[in-house]
Amino acid sequence: SAVISQKPSRDICQRGTSLTIQCQVDSQVTMMFWYRQQPGQSLTLIATANQGSEATYESGFVIDKFPISRPNLTFSTLTVSNMSPEDSSIYLCSVEGLDGYTFGSGTRLTVV
Amino acid sequence: AQSVTQLDSQVPVFEEAPVELRCNYSSSVSVYLFWYVQYPNQGLQLLLKYLSGSTLVKGINGFEAEFNKSQTSFHLRKPSVHISDTAEYFCAVSGGADKLIFGTGTRLQVFP
């Protein structure tokens, strides 16, 4: 299965600032997925990122708040913009492989 | 569209007792089903998956699950739990080459 390198692993940010999270995959993949896991909650899909096209956002998530880049088949970034304490969560990227879905180790974001 | 319902938010059980964590899904297409485990402050680990074939799926750590199409269920079972099984368990569904949708999670608490 694919191996995903996600960074940063954690960060503490001031409200009103932005943070960009990176995911690098060791193989080419068509789709990459970005999830949010709020404290004590399950994983919620933010968007699906395809190379060469605009990301597809789930209900409740918008591009202005969570812009995504997908410049090639092995890399993607998610930016959390104009952060507020409510954005404090773990953010994870994921890809689908032959054996199922692989997840990055997550970015634990705290907004103060 | 797919959806997943995990009927129990918490399941307390004594060590060496059997356990069943319930999961029901809804989908208009054929599905792939997954169980993931998340230990405290750790990432997601795949326990087992159903893609096709035998409806009884065996996973890691002695867990197994049975795909029941008529009841749209994919319950997770273990005949004898250990303290180390204490974790959050997530059921997830995909329509294949598609996003993965998670249930709300079940916290398994194993007592000595």
Side-chain angles (χ1 to χ4, degrees):
Chain A
S1 57
V3 176
I4 302 175
S5 175
Q6 182 174 345
K7 58 184 181 182
S9 59
R10 59 178 64 231
D11 206 342
I12 301 173
C13 300
Q14 296 290 325
R15 67 175 67 201
T17 63
S18 298
L19 175 72
T20 295
I21 302 166
Q22 300 179 4
C23 274
Q24 178 75 52
V25 189
D26 68 346
S27 57
Q28 295 184 335
V29 293
T30 303
M31 291 188 287
M32 292 183 72
F33 306 94
W34 286 97
Y35 289 85
R36 180 177 72 182
Q37 186 176 24
Q38 294 177 299
Q41 303 294 316
S42 183
L43 282 78
T44 301
L45 182 65
I46 297 172
T48 302
N50 290 322
Q51 193 269 334
S53 64
E54 292 284 333
T56 302
Y57 288 82
E58 298 298 308
S59 176
F61 297 96
V62 295
I63 188 172
D64 290 347
K65 176 67 176 176
F66 298 101
I68 288 172
S69 77
R70 185 79 202 277
N72 57 54
L73 291 174
T74 63
F75 186 79
S76 179
T77 67
L78 170 76
T79 298
V80 186
S81 303
N82 189 25
M83 288 183 285
S84 67
E86 292 71 34
D87 294 319
S88 297
S89 296
I90 298 173
Y91 293 86
L92 303 99
C93 61
S94 175
V95 301
E96 183 186 14
L98 293 175
D99 291 336
Y101 295 78
T102 304
F103 287 82
S105 54
T107 297
R108 185 180 295 271
L109 170 62
T110 302
V111 183
V112 296
Chain B
Q2 294 85 35
S3 67
V4 179
T5 302
Q6 291 184 246
L7 297 166
D8 306 299
S9 59
Q10 296 186 62
V11 173
V13 63
F14 287 107
E15 194 172 20
E16 297 183 5
V19 71
E20 179 179 79
L21 306 185
R22 297 181 293 170
C23 172
N24 286 88
Y25 69 91
S26 173
S27 176
S28 57
V29 299
S30 296
V31 294
Y32 299 154
L33 293 156
F34 305 82
W35 276 98
Y36 286 86
V37 61
Q38 187 175 40
Y39 298 101
N41 296 313
Q42 294 190 28
L44 283 171
Q45 182 178 5
L46 179 66
L47 269 179
L48 49 78
K49 60 185 181 288
Y50 171 78
L51 303 181
S52 65
S54 173
T55 57
L56 182 62
V57 180
K58 294 189 182 298
I60 63 172
N61 301 340
F63 284 93
E64 64 179 30
E66 184 156 19
F67 170 59
N68 189 320
K69 187 174 182 179
S70 62
Q71 297 187 8
T72 62
S73 67
F74 191 56
H75 301 333
L76 181 71
R77 295 191 293 259
K78 186 170 182 177
S80 176
V81 295
H82 189 268
I83 293 284
S84 60
D85 292 323
T86 294
E88 191 82 22
Y89 292 79
F90 295 101
C91 182
V93 63
S94 165
D98 196 2
K99 56 193 176 186
L100 189 62
I101 302 301
F102 283 83
T104 50
T106 297
R107 173 153 181 78
L108 175 63
Q109 180 72 55
V110 181
F111 295 95

